[in-house]
Amino acid sequence: QTVVTQEPSLTVSPGETVTLTCASSTGAVTSGYFPNWSQQKPGQAPRALIYSTSNKQSWTPARFSGSLLGGKAALTLSGVQPEDEAAYYCLLFQGDVWVFGGGTKLTV
Amino acid sequence: QVQLVQSGAEVKKPGASVRVSCKASGYTFTSCTIHWVRQAPGQGLEWMGWINAGNTETRYSQKFQARVTITRDTSASTAYMELSNLKSEDTAMYYCARQSGGSAFDYWGQGTLVTVSS
């Protein structure tokens, strides 16, 4: 079973830029893994942010961006806001199944 | 607007089965794929499987392959996830999520809490 790895936790100050990453045990993450990113706040359902590496949902704030970086999928928050404090999950397509990363708890 | 509305909380005994529903509205049900995801208390998200609502094709995580069945009823625009032989470790929030074109996970249901306890 493929393992998808994210940073367990990150702490940033408001206004800073932070990059969260998502690695696959099968090797370098490419666009063919169709990386998705979701945000989840305590007591809420996840909310989709990014799909297919870098495409934003219509409701995704402009400060969020997705990319591929050094063989990993990446989610960058430019100018972090206090309301960005949440857990962030990446999701990768692996063959015909999907696998979530363990999530990154972002503290602002 | 697109909505996925799930059925209410369930309490089950070990060894029983549970079926959770996910009613879709605001779009053509058969044009998208529905995924099921679960989250144990204090843990991360775990992908369980998907169903192509148009042609009923399904795929399951190897972990759940033997115990999960995902179906759909197009007349009711509803997808179902049934998990059998429940164990206490299956206590979790279960979510459905829509995958639309471009491999985009976009809309999520509100979640259904399933508690397994003797």
Side-chain angles (χ1 to χ4, degrees):
Chain A
Q1 178 79 5
T2 302
V3 176
V4 177
T5 302
Q6 299 182 241
E7 298 84 2
S9 63
L10 291 170
T11 299
V12 295
S13 298
E16 291 186 341
T17 293
V18 65
T19 296
L20 289 63
T21 66
C22 174
S24 173
S25 62
T26 60
V29 175
T30 66
S31 59
Y33 286 67
F34 303 105
N36 276 254
W37 291 91
S38 295
Q39 175 193 67
Q40 187 181 35
K41 296 182 178 180
Q44 296 183 15
R47 183 177 76 135
L49 294 175
I50 301 287
Y51 65 95
S52 294
T53 305
S54 59
N55 296 281
K56 298 179 186 181
Q57 299 292 344
S58 59
W59 51 81
T60 302
R63 61 183 179 276
F64 290 85
S65 62
S67 64
L68 295 176
L69 199 62
K72 301 178 183 181
L75 176 69
T76 299
L77 287 72
S78 303
V80 173
Q81 300 298 307
E83 60 266 30
D84 297 333
E85 182 162 298
Y88 293 84
Y89 293 93
C90 71
L91 178 61
L92 300 180
F93 183 63
Q94 311 258 318
D96 56 1
V97 297
W98 293 81
V99 183
F100 279 100
T104 296
K105 174 70 174 73
L106 183 67
T107 301
V108 180
Chain B
Q1 73 283 19
V2 174
Q3 280 192 301
L4 299 176
V5 178
Q6 298 183 223
S7 49
E10 302 264 11
V11 179
K12 295 291 183 180
K13 294 194 182 300
S17 297
V18 68
R19 190 174 83 152
V20 180
S21 67
C22 172
K23 183 171 177 58
S25 62
Y27 73 98
T28 301
F29 179 66
T30 52
S31 67
C32 295
T33 293
I34 295 291
H35 294 256
W36 287 91
V37 175
R38 80 174 187 183
Q39 186 170 39
Q43 303 300 308
L45 301 175
E46 186 171 29
W47 183 81
M48 300 180 70
W50 58 254
I51 185 166
N52 180 318
N55 64 15
T56 73
E57 183 181 7
T58 55
R59 289 290 186 275
Y60 303 121
S61 166
Q62 204 170 353
K63 176 175 179 177
F64 301 104
Q65 177 86 33
R67 298 195 294 136
V68 71
T69 303
I70 300 175
T71 58
R72 64 84 165 113
D73 179 349
T74 56
S75 66
S77 296
T78 300
Y80 302 92
M81 185 284 299
E82 181 168 7
L83 188 63
S84 64
N85 192 20
L86 290 168
K87 311 173 182 48
S88 58
E89 310 88 89
D90 293 317
T91 293
M93 187 72 80
Y94 289 77
Y95 296 101
C96 59
R98 189 185 82 156
Q99 179 194 343
S100 58
S103 294
F105 280 64
D106 47 20
Y107 292 91
W108 290 71
Q110 83 277 19
T112 296
L113 180 62
V114 175
T115 302
V116 183
S117 173
S118 54

